[in-house]
Every structure is written in structure tokens, then in C-alpha cells.
Amino acid sequence: MTGKTKFKVATTSLAGCFGCHMSFLDIDERLFELLEHIEFDRSPFTDIKTVGPCDFGIIEGGVCNAENVHVLREFRRRCKTLVAIGACAITGGLPAQRNHLDLADCLREVYQTEPGTEGGRIPDDPELPLPLDKVHPIHEVVRVDYFIPGCPPSADTIWKFFNDLLAGRTPTYPHGLIRYD
Amino acid sequence: MTDQPTFTLDGEEIPFAEGQTVLQAALTADVYIPHLCYHPEFKPHGSCKVCTIRADGRNAAACTLPARAGMAVESASDALNGLRKVLVQMLFAEGNHFCPACEASGDCQLQALGYDLQVTTAGFRHFYPVRPVDASHPELWLDFNRCILCELCVRASNEVDGKSVFGLSGRGAGKHLIVNALSGRLADTDIAVTDKAVEVCPVGVILKKRDGFAVPIGQRRFDRSPISAQAARDAPRAARGSKEDA
Ligand code: SF4
Ligand code: SF4
Ligand code: FES
């Protein structure tokens, strides 16, 4: 890592809770060291809305609606290396626990049968992305190069990932840094 | 000790007693071979194949292969660990394993094997099978979503509890855990919270109610040290088991 050019990194959250992004920020002052090697393109950190050509695309969250599919495909197209971060991106996570339920039942339950919402309407604004029948891990939609497990992965795990990757090593996670919970 | 027969495991000399399997001998010698459906107190079942080793050039399950003098066994190779990794990945894809929401997390052998084998993704398309839980029993509940069909509960219930509470039914992808009651509900079996079958499940299927966070997350068995470093803990039982089997 002696060259002047920095790696371009884009990040996004699909069907996730932003916990993985928070964990990313949790690497604290090491962010300064990292920023000597990378710069952010599209990301909630920068609020840039479209993704440019990038070295790394980091995806939090699974795929639960049509917009997620669109963003994910765009990331795959524009990023040389795609990284799934966290349980939702890797297994579907908490949102995928609706997979054994009927989607219409879920919507009715949330918008029409709960006390207080009784008689309410299921949102149908054309601007809203269509929900998918099932929530999917991102590797079921596009090819993914690396996975950082955890819910969320710890800051140390994310740090280890970048250190390995920037040094040209395949990232590995010793005991304590690899967790699924 | 000197006239005990031996075989080699990854080049290391392993002594064994007559009637021991390769896995039992290895564990007795404090050498870990990854395994999942094997438990030192029960007869080997040989179903998960996570313990696959190469013995004299042929693949075999270490938990069922009788140790033979002079045998050359290979276990810790990249090829065999790669095979084990795929088996663990398939188990993750086949059930519904949401570790962050699982009481067994940190205490689960499937998860611990995943950690050791660097499983970062199931890789396969997840099945997301529909497997409703059974919460009918006042003290216990069953989350079928996490069953890996190891039959340890079946063996424990039969051999130790003398009750036959559990069984596996169906074939292939449709194979599933059932309980021995006409209603199909755990509440209508004679299971007790103190049964061996309750204690033996290596994953988070048979769970005690109101017991979920007795040990906090982060301090549980495999949070503290990897499964591979804990082989010695069960070794005395492995040795005893072999004598009882003989
Ligand atoms: S049984 Fe194990 S692998 Fe499955 S969800 Fe629970 S902790 Fe995870
Ligand atoms: S319930 Fe547990 S012990 Fe029984 S077969 Fe399933 S995973 Fe094995
Ligand atoms: S431990 Fe040997 S086949 Fe499962």
C-alpha cells in the first residue's frame, strides 16, 4: 500500500438495520488510517446517490424488494469486488424470518388487523418498490466475492477484513472475530 | 503403553485400544478430528460425514471406522477440511439458521464448526423450509428449524432415558424430526426436563423454557475457545465408551 491512488469504496444498506454501517464507524480512530488507503463513493457516509466505478462495493442487508435488486445489480456492475457484510446480506437475517409466511398475510397483519390500524390501507403508492415474495441473501442474486459474517460483525472483524484485503491476502477470521450472532 | 497398537494420524503416532474407532482413539490421544453427529456417550451413527478422513487412501467416517494397527490416516488436509466445510454449508442452507435469534448461539456445535472451518456463507441457495415450532410443553420447546438430523436425541431417549420420545421420519429433503405422540405434540409425550435427550442436542432444537440467557452471549462454551481446542474435555468419556461397546 505505497501507491498514491486510493481504492474507491461504495457501501449501501438494502434490507438491513444499518447496524453493519454503525459497526464500520465503530473502528473509530483507525478510520483515519483506513482513509489513507480508501475513499468513499456512494455511501450513507457521503450521501452520494449513484455508484461510480469502484474497487469495492460493500453491501449490508438482504434483498426484500425490487429496488434492492436494482441497487444490488448496479453495485455488481460498477464494483470490481463485491463484499457481503452481516447476517442479513449473507443469510437474509431477521427480515428473512418472514419467508415461511404468506406475504399478503404479513401486509394485512401489519396494516389492517393490528389494533389501531384496523380498516387501514396497505400502502400502494407507485413510488414504493414492490416487495418480493421472499427475502434473499445477496449471493442468490449476484456473484459475491467476500463475506464478513456477524450481526453485526465487530469493528475488529471489519478492520481485519480491510487489513487482509489491502495487503493482498484472502481475509481470514481467527476465533473471536468470526461470529454469526 | 508400549505394546499398544498404533496408527498414524497426519503423521503422528496414535495408540488405540481394541474396539476403538479412529475418532475415539484420536480423541483419547487429545487429537481433534471435526465431528458433529458423534457423541462419546453414544454408539456412532455415521450420518453427518463431517468426520471424514482418508485412511490408507480411502475416504471413511472416522467415527465408525475401527482403528487398525499401521493404518495411515489423513485428517487435517485442505482437501478434507474443504469437504467438511461444504457439508456444514449444506446444513446451514437446508434448515433455517438465524444465529442472532437463537438461544443456542455460542453453545452450538454446528456454528462452532462453521467458525473453525471459516464458513462465512452457506454459498448454496437457502431452502427456507417451513417448519413450525412446537411450544406445547410447559417446560420445553422444539424449534425444528435448526434440526440437523443427527439422531443424538433419538439415541439418548432410547438408550439412556428408556422412552423413545424422538424419531426421524421421511426421506431425503423431507426427512424431519417427530415426537412419539398420537397428537404429534411434545406435551403429549413422557419427556422430562431432566432427560438426557434434552441435554444432548448439539444445536438449538430442544430448548428449556425460561432458561435462554442463563449464560450471557459472549461467555458461552464456544465463545470462550474454539471447538477444536475442547476435544480433551470429552476424551475420558470416549475411552470409557469404547470399553462399554467392546
Ligand atoms: S442452531 Fe446453531 S447454527 Fe442454528 S441458528 Fe442456532 S446457533 Fe445458529
Ligand atoms: S433435535 Fe437435535 S439431537 Fe435431535 S436430531 Fe435434531 S439436531 Fe440432532
Ligand atoms: S461424526 Fe462421523 S459421521 Fe458424523
Side-chain angles (χ1 to χ4, degrees), chain B residues 23 34-38 45-52 61-64:
Chain B
L23 183 59
H35 56 274
L36 190 52
C37 71
Y38 173 76
H45 189 237
S47 61
C48 74
K49 300 293 184 268
V50 168
C51 70
T52 299
C63 69
T64 54

Side-chain angles (χ1 to χ4, degrees), chain B residues 36-37 142-144 146-155 166-168 177 197 200-206:
Chain B
L36 190 52
C37 71
L142 296 177
D143 192 332
F144 299 103
R146 305 165 185 150
C147 183
I148 53 169
L149 311 176
C150 67
E151 287 204 14
L152 274 169
C153 59
V154 181
R155 287 179 270 169
F166 296 100
L168 292 187
L177 185 71
V200 83
C201 180
V203 292
V205 181
I206 310 172

Side-chain angles (χ1 to χ4, degrees), chain B residues 134 142 144 164-167 177-182 184-187 189:
Chain B
D134 178 345
L142 296 177
F144 299 103
S164 311
V165 171
F166 296 100
L177 185 71
I178 51 165
V179 300
N180 191 3
L182 270 181
R185 292 169 4 125
L186 190 66
T189 68

Side-chain angles (χ1 to χ4, degrees), chain B:
Chain B
M1 200 70 193
T2 39
D3 36 286
Q4 235 188 329
T6 63
F7 62 90
T8 62
L9 177 56
D10 295 321
E12 193 184 325
E13 202 95 355
I14 306 285
F16 66 92
E18 206 50 50
Q20 272 190 321
T21 64
V22 168
L23 183 59
Q24 284 168 337
L27 286 174
T28 309
D30 199 15
V31 180
Y32 177 71
I33 296 173
H35 56 274
L36 190 52
C37 71
Y38 173 76
H39 185 290
E41 291 173 58
F42 298 100
K43 286 210 184 73
H45 189 237
S47 61
C48 74
K49 300 293 184 268
V50 168
C51 70
T52 299
I53 42 96
R54 248 178 123 67
D56 290 336
R58 298 182 70 162
N59 283 7
C63 69
T64 54
L65 183 71
R68 267 185 293 108
M71 193 161 55
V73 178
E74 172 194 324
S75 170
S77 65
D78 286 348
L80 289 167
N81 280 328
L83 173 81
R84 292 171 183 143
K85 184 173 174 174
V86 174
L87 291 172
V88 168
Q89 286 179 305
M90 289 196 286
L91 286 169
F92 271 98
E94 197 175 276
N96 293 310
H97 293 276
F98 297 108
C99 300
C102 178
E103 280 182 22
S105 195
D107 225 344
C108 163
Q109 292 184 32
L110 178 65
Q111 185 188 62
L113 275 172
Y115 292 170
D116 261 18
L117 295 166
Q118 293 284 301
V119 172
T120 56
T121 173
F124 299 96
R125 185 161 287 273
H126 288 247
F127 284 21
Y128 297 121
V130 178
R131 298 184 193 164
V133 303
D134 178 345
S136 62
H137 194 279
E139 288 171 290
L140 296 163
W141 64 291
L142 296 177
D143 192 332
F144 299 103
N145 290 292
R146 305 165 185 150
C147 183
I148 53 169
L149 311 176
C150 67
E151 287 204 14
L152 274 169
C153 59
V154 181
R155 287 179 270 169
S157 190
N158 286 337
E159 295 171 27
V160 181
D161 306 329
K163 289 185 180 175
S164 311
V165 171
F166 296 100
L168 292 187
S169 180
R171 287 181 188 276
K175 194 165 184 172
H176 63 284
L177 185 71
I178 51 165
V179 300
N180 191 3
L182 270 181
S183 64
R185 292 169 4 125
L186 190 66
D188 300 323
T189 68
D190 54 354
I191 195 165
V193 74
T194 48
D195 282 358
K196 185 77 185 173
V198 174
E199 172 202 319
V200 83
C201 180
V203 292
V205 181
I206 310 172
L207 295 162
K208 290 181 190 164
K209 288 184 175 174
R210 295 171 289 278
D211 192 42
F213 290 87
V215 180
I217 290 172
Q219 295 171 28
R220 296 175 178 182
R221 182 172 173 189
F222 303 116
D223 293 333
R224 296 195 300 267
S225 70
I227 192 168
S228 50
Q230 299 192 40
R233 171 189 292 212
D234 294 333
R237 290 194 289 172
R240 194 185 65 213
S242 74
K243 276 188 215 107
E244 281 167 5
D245 284 350

Side-chain angles (χ1 to χ4, degrees), chain A residues 5 22 30 47 67 83 85 117 121 125 131 139-140 143 173 177:
Chain A
T5 7
M22 299 313 289
R30 290 173 293 190
D47 208 22
E67 192 211 4
V83 184
I85 187 168
T117 63
R121 252 181 87 204
D125 191 291
H139 75 257
E140 292 184 3
R143 181 176 54 78
Y173 309 101
L177 291 192

Side-chain angles (χ1 to χ4, degrees), chain A residues 79-157:
Chain A
C79 305
K80 285 188 202 140
T81 300
L82 210 62
V83 184
I85 187 168
C88 301
I90 297 172
T91 70
L94 189 76
Q97 296 201 34
R98 78 153 154 87
N99 283 358
H100 66 282
L101 305 169
D102 179 76
L103 180 60
D105 283 347
C106 283
L107 291 170
R108 270 194 291 272
E109 186 71 26
V110 171
Y111 292 104
Q112 294 186 317
T113 43
E114 277 295 298
T117 63
E118 236 170 295
R121 252 181 87 204
I122 294 172
D124 59 355
D125 191 291
E127 291 242 325
L128 291 173
L130 274 180
L132 302 181
D133 182 38
K134 290 216 184 330
V135 180
H136 296 271
I138 67 168
H139 75 257
E140 292 184 3
V141 181
V142 296
R143 181 176 54 78
V144 176
D145 302 290
Y146 295 105
F147 300 83
I148 314 177
C151 186
S154 69
D156 287 342
T157 306

